[in-house]
Amino acid sequence: MNKKETVAFNGTKEQEAKLMEAINRHKGSDGALIPVLHEAQNIYGYLPIEVQTMISKNLDVPMAEIYGVVTFYTQFTTEPKGKYHIGVCLGTACYVKGSGDIFNKIKEKLGLTGDSTCTPDGKFSIEATRCIGACGLAPVLTVNDEVYGKLTVDDVDRILSKYTD
Amino acid sequence: MEMVTISINGKSISVPKDYTILQAARSAGIDIPTLCYLKDINEIGACRMCLVEVKGARTLVTACVYPVNEGMEVFTQTERVRKARKAVLELMLSNHNKKCLTCARNRNCELQTLAEELNVTELPYEGAQTPSTIDDVSPSIVRDNSKCILCRRCIAVCKKVQTVGAIDATQRGFNTKIGSAFEKSLNETDCAMCGQCISVCPVGALYEKDGLAPVWKALADETKHVVVQTAPAVRAALGEEFGLPIGTPVTGKMAAALKALGFDKVFDTDFAADLTIMEEGTELLNRIKNGGKLPLITSCSPGWVKFCEHNFPDFLDNLSSAKSPHEMYGAILKSYYAEKAGIDPKDIFVVSVMPCTAKKFEAQREELSGTGYPDVDAVITTRELAKMIKEAGLKFNELEDAVFDSPFGDEATGAGVIFGATGGVMEAALRTVADVLTGQSLDKVDYTEVRGTEGIKEATVKIGDMDVNVAVAHGLGNARKLLNNIREGKANYHFIEIMGCPGGCVTGGGQPIQPAKVAAEIDLKAERAKALYAEDKAAGLRKSHENPYIKKLYEEYLGEPCGHKSHKLLHTHYQERPKY
């Protein structure tokens, strides 16, 4: 029904072997699903349909149940992190200084609609963060390890244009 | 069982120690409202409708999951309880799509009933509404989340009873919705389309895909010869839609109603059930004689067949290649009947009235069109037939009994009618196979060892000097258990009957819906089955192969069971389907 464009899955044989090892370790014990999901997310960075399918098949848990658990906990994500991961602080100080608008502007610029958080080419991803402890620079965003402060929506183009490769 | 004494509303009662407050109250004739509670299937205390006061407890407790203990004092109708229940219901109604007038479940809705019973006269809360996301892609089942009250009864029946798990609760908090993984349509999942989710839905969030529009259209089209056939189980339950007691057979009134609706011919699928026995029975005998693949497994239940295609592809060669009865009938109607009646098969429109939602899916299978036309053009459920009767203004209960038309002067046997109950196909097959194997007409007709509502039934039936090992499973969870046993080499059978729905077709996903409270007290499976076994007992002929019209059909047209013509018209094949 709701089809959205996502980054193509490119898991490796090594990752699959690690996942299978985790599944076999937990299989048969009560409540095996959540620890397996944790390990799967550590291995792949996210839980796309391909990973959930492997878990469903090998742990013998219905796909809908797995998806239910993954969408229940904010800890789990079905979206990968991009090459450049943008964190926009939506903590109180940043928020009152307009970081909500900045967040929306970036999503718009990147063409991310609904609950998509990663561009289909895998280049950019975005996340709303809690306070990152730089309130003096509010509003703040980070791109990987770089921090940008005292921003307005007009700064968005300039920042994004630095990440072209 | 150890008993404890508790008091409810000051009345002292003694109940088994492992009872919940709800069980105790109901055993004492005290009603407590419930919504999410489904006996033995969904006991999760989620909806909070069954709140009661327990002396000494800090808060109100949910009666459906709260265990009794010695000396407990329960109050079910104090002001505190009444106010709390009403508030819970009002909050639920605040986020409910209250378009009751046009709802599939108008006047048969547990939420609507509760609103009346708890005397909700105004709706004090206004808030956000869950958007109406309708999944109507499946040919069988429609889901509308705006009507959903998140009781999770559908999830429980799909996951625990049927072991399919096509739907679950996704997201959280206000955004919680019932759905498939990655918001896929049910049609893209391994849903068996059995419709048990519809049968347990207290509201109108799940209902069958409409099949009536093409039927009304065909009836209005003078160039069409519109033929209707009704499955055995329909007659055992249709009366419930018109207020008759559960288990009242309404065969005659149903035939009369169909004639009054303007169908050109009204046929009985039971006749085709006899035909199925001829084909399937012969297939079994051939496989036993020629060392073919055993066990042979029945394929009348399209929910079961789809489940098998998704989950047990290694058993597809075990499935009988015989089509299900209504598909066989469709094929015969568009070949032999068309020839005899001098009607071009393209002008014949075959409508099947079925207790089943999966039949809607089955009828769309491309391989089921041996005549070059679809065997069956439209499938409607028992519930949909009731809607037609009501819409046409027929006074069902006052109709004078009529009899089915007979395309070949046919009449069905008692063997055909019991197809609608779990064990019925097995029993019908045994009646014929026993006679054929022994070359005699045996007096034994009743095989009671395969009757009844136990989940898996096994028997060894002595036929001549052969021990035939048979098993019967109903409900997909039981089917899974049985097949796993065979896979692991723990069991060995010649012949297996599997029905997708618990109870078989009498409690199929297209049958009249009874509220959970009624279904908790009356065993629908057993009561409706009684109507069929009574009809069987009263039948003049009780073995399919003794049906003179079946014999005539073979003599005049088909040749022999499992022969060349049969293969073209009455047999089919299956395909592995992806699980993901």
Side-chain angles (χ1 to χ4, degrees), chain A residues 86-88 99-112 119 124-126 141-143 151 153 155-157 159-160:
Chain A
I86 305 167
V88 180
S99 65
D101 295 337
I102 294 172
F103 182 82
N104 290 334
K105 177 74 186 264
I106 297 174
K107 279 194 82 170
E108 187 196 315
K109 275 273 152 201
L110 297 177
L112 297 170
T119 55
F124 288 104
S125 59
I126 187 169
L141 67 77
T142 57
V143 180
L151 302 171
V153 284
D155 294 315
V156 168
D157 282 343
I159 295 171
L160 290 180

PDB file of all heavy atoms in Angstrom, chain A residues 86-88 99-112 119 124-126 141-143 151 153 155-157 159-160:
ATOM      1  N   ILE A  86      22.780  13.902   9.909  1.00  0.00           N
ATOM      2  CA  ILE A  86      22.502  15.215  10.488  1.00  0.00           C
ATOM      3  C   ILE A  86      21.654  15.046  11.745  1.00  0.00           C
ATOM      4  O   ILE A  86      20.611  14.388  11.720  1.00  0.00           O
ATOM      5  CB  ILE A  86      21.722  16.097   9.480  1.00  0.00           C
ATOM      6  CG1 ILE A  86      22.489  16.192   8.165  1.00  0.00           C
ATOM      7  CG2 ILE A  86      21.446  17.467  10.071  1.00  0.00           C
ATOM      8  CD1 ILE A  86      21.671  16.766   7.020  1.00  0.00           C
ATOM      9  N   GLY A  87      22.104  15.628  12.847  1.00  0.00           N
ATOM     10  CA  GLY A  87      21.303  15.622  14.062  1.00  0.00           C
ATOM     11  C   GLY A  87      20.869  17.047  14.361  1.00  0.00           C
ATOM     12  O   GLY A  87      21.714  17.926  14.514  1.00  0.00           O
ATOM     13  N   VAL A  88      19.577  17.287  14.386  1.00  0.00           N
ATOM     14  CA  VAL A  88      19.098  18.625  14.723  1.00  0.00           C
ATOM     15  C   VAL A  88      18.578  18.581  16.150  1.00  0.00           C
ATOM     16  O   VAL A  88      17.706  17.780  16.477  1.00  0.00           O
ATOM     17  CB  VAL A  88      17.975  19.071  13.760  1.00  0.00           C
ATOM     18  CG1 VAL A  88      17.503  20.470  14.126  1.00  0.00           C
ATOM     19  CG2 VAL A  88      18.444  19.012  12.325  1.00  0.00           C
ATOM     20  N   SER A  99      14.740  25.677  16.112  1.00  0.00           N
ATOM     21  CA  SER A  99      15.353  24.504  15.472  1.00  0.00           C
ATOM     22  C   SER A  99      14.314  23.632  14.779  1.00  0.00           C
ATOM     23  O   SER A  99      14.639  22.908  13.839  1.00  0.00           O
ATOM     24  CB  SER A  99      16.155  23.687  16.487  1.00  0.00           C
ATOM     25  OG  SER A  99      15.297  23.136  17.464  1.00  0.00           O
ATOM     26  N   GLY A 100      13.052  23.737  15.207  1.00  0.00           N
ATOM     27  CA  GLY A 100      11.990  22.979  14.542  1.00  0.00           C
ATOM     28  C   GLY A 100      11.884  23.374  13.075  1.00  0.00           C
ATOM     29  O   GLY A 100      11.761  22.522  12.183  1.00  0.00           O
ATOM     30  N   ASP A 101      11.967  24.676  12.815  1.00  0.00           N
ATOM     31  CA  ASP A 101      11.902  25.163  11.428  1.00  0.00           C
ATOM     32  C   ASP A 101      13.106  24.667  10.632  1.00  0.00           C
ATOM     33  O   ASP A 101      12.994  24.332   9.453  1.00  0.00           O
ATOM     34  CB  ASP A 101      11.872  26.696  11.396  1.00  0.00           C
ATOM     35  CG  ASP A 101      10.595  27.232  12.038  1.00  0.00           C
ATOM     36  OD1 ASP A 101       9.607  26.467  12.079  1.00  0.00           O
ATOM     37  OD2 ASP A 101      10.599  28.383  12.509  1.00  0.00           O
ATOM     38  N   ILE A 102      14.268  24.671  11.307  1.00  0.00           N
ATOM     39  CA  ILE A 102      15.491  24.212  10.632  1.00  0.00           C
ATOM     40  C   ILE A 102      15.362  22.738  10.257  1.00  0.00           C
ATOM     41  O   ILE A 102      15.681  22.325   9.143  1.00  0.00           O
ATOM     42  CB  ILE A 102      16.718  24.446  11.541  1.00  0.00           C
ATOM     43  CG1 ILE A 102      16.917  25.955  11.728  1.00  0.00           C
ATOM     44  CG2 ILE A 102      17.971  23.796  10.968  1.00  0.00           C
ATOM     45  CD1 ILE A 102      17.962  26.344  12.737  1.00  0.00           C
ATOM     46  N   PHE A 103      14.839  21.957  11.192  1.00  0.00           N
ATOM     47  CA  PHE A 103      14.622  20.521  10.950  1.00  0.00           C
ATOM     48  C   PHE A 103      13.724  20.323   9.723  1.00  0.00           C
ATOM     49  O   PHE A 103      14.043  19.560   8.808  1.00  0.00           O
ATOM     50  CB  PHE A 103      13.979  19.903  12.201  1.00  0.00           C
ATOM     51  CG  PHE A 103      13.739  18.424  12.113  1.00  0.00           C
ATOM     52  CD1 PHE A 103      14.769  17.527  12.376  1.00  0.00           C
ATOM     53  CD2 PHE A 103      12.487  17.913  11.785  1.00  0.00           C
ATOM     54  CE1 PHE A 103      14.550  16.155  12.300  1.00  0.00           C
ATOM     55  CE2 PHE A 103      12.267  16.556  11.703  1.00  0.00           C
ATOM     56  CZ  PHE A 103      13.301  15.672  11.963  1.00  0.00           C
ATOM     57  N   ASN A 104      12.621  21.071   9.706  1.00  0.00           N
ATOM     58  CA  ASN A 104      11.681  20.915   8.584  1.00  0.00           C
ATOM     59  C   ASN A 104      12.290  21.360   7.270  1.00  0.00           C
ATOM     60  O   ASN A 104      12.077  20.745   6.226  1.00  0.00           O
ATOM     61  CB  ASN A 104      10.398  21.707   8.858  1.00  0.00           C
ATOM     62  CG  ASN A 104       9.598  21.061   9.981  1.00  0.00           C
ATOM     63  OD1 ASN A 104       9.701  19.853  10.213  1.00  0.00           O
ATOM     64  ND2 ASN A 104       8.834  21.866  10.702  1.00  0.00           N
ATOM     65  N   LYS A 105      13.073  22.443   7.336  1.00  0.00           N
ATOM     66  CA  LYS A 105      13.707  22.969   6.124  1.00  0.00           C
ATOM     67  C   LYS A 105      14.661  21.919   5.538  1.00  0.00           C
ATOM     68  O   LYS A 105      14.701  21.702   4.323  1.00  0.00           O
ATOM     69  CB  LYS A 105      14.459  24.270   6.477  1.00  0.00           C
ATOM     70  CG  LYS A 105      15.236  24.914   5.336  1.00  0.00           C
ATOM     71  CD  LYS A 105      14.298  25.591   4.343  1.00  0.00           C
ATOM     72  CE  LYS A 105      15.035  26.121   3.113  1.00  0.00           C
ATOM     73  NZ  LYS A 105      15.401  27.518   3.167  1.00  0.00           N
ATOM     74  N   ILE A 106      15.435  21.272   6.418  1.00  0.00           N
ATOM     75  CA  ILE A 106      16.389  20.268   5.928  1.00  0.00           C
ATOM     76  C   ILE A 106      15.641  19.098   5.287  1.00  0.00           C
ATOM     77  O   ILE A 106      15.994  18.640   4.205  1.00  0.00           O
ATOM     78  CB  ILE A 106      17.306  19.772   7.075  1.00  0.00           C
ATOM     79  CG1 ILE A 106      18.139  20.929   7.615  1.00  0.00           C
ATOM     80  CG2 ILE A 106      18.224  18.650   6.593  1.00  0.00           C
ATOM     81  CD1 ILE A 106      18.965  20.603   8.840  1.00  0.00           C
ATOM     82  N   LYS A 107      14.579  18.656   5.955  1.00  0.00           N
ATOM     83  CA  LYS A 107      13.802  17.548   5.378  1.00  0.00           C
ATOM     84  C   LYS A 107      13.272  17.930   3.994  1.00  0.00           C
ATOM     85  O   LYS A 107      13.321  17.144   3.048  1.00  0.00           O
ATOM     86  CB  LYS A 107      12.623  17.178   6.296  1.00  0.00           C
ATOM     87  CG  LYS A 107      13.037  16.291   7.453  1.00  0.00           C
ATOM     88  CD  LYS A 107      11.831  15.651   8.139  1.00  0.00           C
ATOM     89  CE  LYS A 107      11.351  14.408   7.403  1.00  0.00           C
ATOM     90  NZ  LYS A 107      10.359  13.636   8.140  1.00  0.00           N
ATOM     91  N   GLU A 108      12.788  19.149   3.900  1.00  0.00           N
ATOM     92  CA  GLU A 108      12.244  19.627   2.635  1.00  0.00           C
ATOM     93  C   GLU A 108      13.339  19.656   1.569  1.00  0.00           C
ATOM     94  O   GLU A 108      13.154  19.182   0.448  1.00  0.00           O
ATOM     95  CB  GLU A 108      11.671  21.027   2.880  1.00  0.00           C
ATOM     96  CG  GLU A 108      10.914  21.606   1.714  1.00  0.00           C
ATOM     97  CD  GLU A 108      10.715  23.120   1.884  1.00  0.00           C
ATOM     98  OE1 GLU A 108      10.343  23.557   3.007  1.00  0.00           O
ATOM     99  OE2 GLU A 108      10.979  23.846   0.907  1.00  0.00           O
ATOM    100  N   LYS A 109      14.493  20.196   1.955  1.00  0.00           N
ATOM    101  CA  LYS A 109      15.634  20.286   1.023  1.00  0.00           C
ATOM    102  C   LYS A 109      16.053  18.896   0.534  1.00  0.00           C
ATOM    103  O   LYS A 109      16.445  18.714  -0.616  1.00  0.00           O
ATOM    104  CB  LYS A 109      16.829  20.951   1.732  1.00  0.00           C
ATOM    105  CG  LYS A 109      16.770  22.454   1.691  1.00  0.00           C
ATOM    106  CD  LYS A 109      17.415  22.939   0.404  1.00  0.00           C
ATOM    107  CE  LYS A 109      16.818  24.269  -0.015  1.00  0.00           C
ATOM    108  NZ  LYS A 109      17.005  24.559  -1.419  1.00  0.00           N
ATOM    109  N   LEU A 110      16.015  17.938   1.440  1.00  0.00           N
ATOM    110  CA  LEU A 110      16.471  16.592   1.101  1.00  0.00           C
ATOM    111  C   LEU A 110      15.362  15.755   0.456  1.00  0.00           C
ATOM    112  O   LEU A 110      15.586  14.614   0.054  1.00  0.00           O
ATOM    113  CB  LEU A 110      16.986  15.868   2.350  1.00  0.00           C
ATOM    114  CG  LEU A 110      18.211  16.492   3.027  1.00  0.00           C
ATOM    115  CD1 LEU A 110      18.580  15.710   4.290  1.00  0.00           C
ATOM    116  CD2 LEU A 110      19.412  16.521   2.079  1.00  0.00           C
ATOM    117  N   GLY A 111      14.189  16.350   0.403  1.00  0.00           N
ATOM    118  CA  GLY A 111      13.070  15.628  -0.216  1.00  0.00           C
ATOM    119  C   GLY A 111      12.568  14.465   0.631  1.00  0.00           C
ATOM    120  O   GLY A 111      12.060  13.480   0.106  1.00  0.00           O
ATOM    121  N   LEU A 112      12.712  14.585   1.945  1.00  0.00           N
ATOM    122  CA  LEU A 112      12.246  13.503   2.830  1.00  0.00           C
ATOM    123  C   LEU A 112      10.828  13.810   3.291  1.00  0.00           C
ATOM    124  O   LEU A 112      10.582  14.836   3.908  1.00  0.00           O
ATOM    125  CB  LEU A 112      13.161  13.385   4.045  1.00  0.00           C
ATOM    126  CG  LEU A 112      14.610  12.999   3.750  1.00  0.00           C
ATOM    127  CD1 LEU A 112      15.472  13.160   5.001  1.00  0.00           C
ATOM    128  CD2 LEU A 112      14.686  11.567   3.244  1.00  0.00           C
ATOM    129  N   THR A 119      17.915   9.750   2.647  1.00  0.00           N
ATOM    130  CA  THR A 119      17.702   9.957   1.214  1.00  0.00           C
ATOM    131  C   THR A 119      17.951   8.645   0.477  1.00  0.00           C
ATOM    132  O   THR A 119      18.801   7.847   0.891  1.00  0.00           O
ATOM    133  CB  THR A 119      18.632  11.051   0.657  1.00  0.00           C
ATOM    134  OG1 THR A 119      19.983  10.695   0.974  1.00  0.00           O
ATOM    135  CG2 THR A 119      18.315  12.399   1.247  1.00  0.00           C
ATOM    136  N   PHE A 124      22.396  11.403   2.783  1.00  0.00           N
ATOM    137  CA  PHE A 124      22.041  12.138   3.999  1.00  0.00           C
ATOM    138  C   PHE A 124      20.976  11.397   4.815  1.00  0.00           C
ATOM    139  O   PHE A 124      20.059  10.804   4.245  1.00  0.00           O
ATOM    140  CB  PHE A 124      21.455  13.508   3.645  1.00  0.00           C
ATOM    141  CG  PHE A 124      22.459  14.492   3.131  1.00  0.00           C
ATOM    142  CD1 PHE A 124      22.514  14.790   1.770  1.00  0.00           C
ATOM    143  CD2 PHE A 124      23.341  15.128   4.001  1.00  0.00           C
ATOM    144  CE1 PHE A 124      23.435  15.707   1.291  1.00  0.00           C
ATOM    145  CE2 PHE A 124      24.260  16.049   3.524  1.00  0.00           C
ATOM    146  CZ  PHE A 124      24.319  16.342   2.162  1.00  0.00           C
ATOM    147  N   SER A 125      21.122  11.463   6.118  1.00  0.00           N
ATOM    148  CA  SER A 125      20.019  11.044   6.974  1.00  0.00           C
ATOM    149  C   SER A 125      19.839  12.095   8.044  1.00  0.00           C
ATOM    150  O   SER A 125      20.755  12.884   8.308  1.00  0.00           O
ATOM    151  CB  SER A 125      20.296   9.675   7.595  1.00  0.00           C
ATOM    152  OG  SER A 125      21.477   9.708   8.353  1.00  0.00           O
ATOM    153  N   ILE A 126      18.664  12.136   8.627  1.00  0.00           N
ATOM    154  CA  ILE A 126      18.389  13.179   9.625  1.00  0.00           C
ATOM    155  C   ILE A 126      17.724  12.581  10.848  1.00  0.00           C
ATOM    156  O   ILE A 126      16.966  11.607  10.743  1.00  0.00           O
ATOM    157  CB  ILE A 126      17.510  14.292   9.003  1.00  0.00           C
ATOM    158  CG1 ILE A 126      17.363  15.459   9.990  1.00  0.00           C
ATOM    159  CG2 ILE A 126      16.149  13.749   8.586  1.00  0.00           C
ATOM    160  CD1 ILE A 126      16.752  16.699   9.365  1.00  0.00           C
ATOM    161  N   LEU A 141      22.979  22.204  15.163  1.00  0.00           N
ATOM    162  CA  LEU A 141      22.870  20.908  14.497  1.00  0.00           C
ATOM    163  C   LEU A 141      24.249  20.309  14.321  1.00  0.00           C
ATOM    164  O   LEU A 141      25.258  21.027  14.362  1.00  0.00           O
ATOM    165  CB  LEU A 141      22.108  21.002  13.163  1.00  0.00           C
ATOM    166  CG  LEU A 141      22.684  21.748  11.962  1.00  0.00           C
ATOM    167  CD1 LEU A 141      23.769  20.950  11.257  1.00  0.00           C
ATOM    168  CD2 LEU A 141      21.546  22.033  10.972  1.00  0.00           C
ATOM    169  N   THR A 142      24.281  19.004  14.108  1.00  0.00           N
ATOM    170  CA  THR A 142      25.557  18.336  13.873  1.00  0.00           C
ATOM    171  C   THR A 142      25.473  17.583  12.551  1.00  0.00           C
ATOM    172  O   THR A 142      24.410  17.115  12.166  1.00  0.00           O
ATOM    173  CB  THR A 142      25.873  17.308  14.978  1.00  0.00           C
ATOM    174  OG1 THR A 142      24.790  16.364  15.035  1.00  0.00           O
ATOM    175  CG2 THR A 142      26.047  17.947  16.342  1.00  0.00           C
ATOM    176  N   VAL A 143      26.616  17.541  11.852  1.00  0.00           N
ATOM    177  CA  VAL A 143      26.723  16.668  10.685  1.00  0.00           C
ATOM    178  C   VAL A 143      27.903  15.750  10.981  1.00  0.00           C
ATOM    179  O   VAL A 143      29.038  16.238  11.105  1.00  0.00           O
ATOM    180  CB  VAL A 143      26.964  17.460   9.386  1.00  0.00           C
ATOM    181  CG1 VAL A 143      27.064  16.501   8.198  1.00  0.00           C
ATOM    182  CG2 VAL A 143      25.865  18.481   9.167  1.00  0.00           C
ATOM    183  N   LEU A 151      22.161  29.152  14.352  1.00  0.00           N
ATOM    184  CA  LEU A 151      21.697  29.013  12.971  1.00  0.00           C
ATOM    185  C   LEU A 151      20.355  29.689  12.736  1.00  0.00           C
ATOM    186  O   LEU A 151      19.592  29.949  13.675  1.00  0.00           O
ATOM    187  CB  LEU A 151      21.562  27.517  12.634  1.00  0.00           C
ATOM    188  CG  LEU A 151      22.832  26.692  12.790  1.00  0.00           C
ATOM    189  CD1 LEU A 151      22.517  25.210  12.654  1.00  0.00           C
ATOM    190  CD2 LEU A 151      23.869  27.106  11.751  1.00  0.00           C
ATOM    191  N   VAL A 153      17.199  29.410   9.423  1.00  0.00           N
ATOM    192  CA  VAL A 153      16.843  28.541   8.296  1.00  0.00           C
ATOM    193  C   VAL A 153      17.645  28.888   7.051  1.00  0.00           C
ATOM    194  O   VAL A 153      17.859  28.045   6.183  1.00  0.00           O
ATOM    195  CB  VAL A 153      15.325  28.576   7.956  1.00  0.00           C
ATOM    196  CG1 VAL A 153      14.527  27.790   8.951  1.00  0.00           C
ATOM    197  CG2 VAL A 153      14.827  29.997   7.843  1.00  0.00           C
ATOM    198  N   ASP A 155      20.694  29.337   6.839  1.00  0.00           N
ATOM    199  CA  ASP A 155      22.013  28.699   6.834  1.00  0.00           C
ATOM    200  C   ASP A 155      21.980  27.290   6.246  1.00  0.00           C
ATOM    201  O   ASP A 155      23.018  26.701   5.966  1.00  0.00           O
ATOM    202  CB  ASP A 155      22.559  28.614   8.273  1.00  0.00           C
ATOM    203  CG  ASP A 155      22.831  30.003   8.841  1.00  0.00           C
ATOM    204  OD1 ASP A 155      23.413  30.827   8.106  1.00  0.00           O
ATOM    205  OD2 ASP A 155      22.434  30.258   9.995  1.00  0.00           O
ATOM    206  N   VAL A 156      20.799  26.736   6.090  1.00  0.00           N
ATOM    207  CA  VAL A 156      20.685  25.328   5.716  1.00  0.00           C
ATOM    208  C   VAL A 156      21.362  25.030   4.383  1.00  0.00           C
ATOM    209  O   VAL A 156      22.165  24.102   4.261  1.00  0.00           O
ATOM    210  CB  VAL A 156      19.196  24.900   5.678  1.00  0.00           C
ATOM    211  CG1 VAL A 156      19.037  23.535   5.017  1.00  0.00           C
ATOM    212  CG2 VAL A 156      18.640  24.853   7.097  1.00  0.00           C
ATOM    213  N   ASP A 157      21.063  25.846   3.363  1.00  0.00           N
ATOM    214  CA  ASP A 157      21.651  25.611   2.034  1.00  0.00           C
ATOM    215  C   ASP A 157      23.166  25.599   2.099  1.00  0.00           C
ATOM    216  O   ASP A 157      23.820  24.729   1.523  1.00  0.00           O
ATOM    217  CB  ASP A 157      21.215  26.705   1.055  1.00  0.00           C
ATOM    218  CG  ASP A 157      19.794  26.466   0.572  1.00  0.00           C
ATOM    219  OD1 ASP A 157      19.316  25.321   0.743  1.00  0.00           O
ATOM    220  OD2 ASP A 157      19.175  27.408   0.048  1.00  0.00           O
ATOM    221  N   ILE A 159      25.153  24.977   4.604  1.00  0.00           N
ATOM    222  CA  ILE A 159      25.719  23.803   5.289  1.00  0.00           C
ATOM    223  C   ILE A 159      25.634  22.564   4.397  1.00  0.00           C
ATOM    224  O   ILE A 159      26.614  21.854   4.208  1.00  0.00           O
ATOM    225  CB  ILE A 159      24.992  23.557   6.631  1.00  0.00           C
ATOM    226  CG1 ILE A 159      25.251  24.725   7.580  1.00  0.00           C
ATOM    227  CG2 ILE A 159      25.451  22.244   7.273  1.00  0.00           C
ATOM    228  CD1 ILE A 159      24.428  24.718   8.844  1.00  0.00           C
ATOM    229  N   LEU A 160      24.485  22.357   3.797  1.00  0.00           N
ATOM    230  CA  LEU A 160      24.320  21.157   2.960  1.00  0.00           C
ATOM    231  C   LEU A 160      25.283  21.189   1.773  1.00  0.00           C
ATOM    232  O   LEU A 160      25.794  20.147   1.350  1.00  0.00           O
ATOM    233  CB  LEU A 160      22.876  21.037   2.459  1.00  0.00           C
ATOM    234  CG  LEU A 160      21.832  20.701   3.513  1.00  0.00           C
ATOM    235  CD1 LEU A 160      20.444  20.605   2.883  1.00  0.00           C
ATOM    236  CD2 LEU A 160      22.165  19.387   4.229  1.00  0.00           C
TER     237      LEU A 160
END
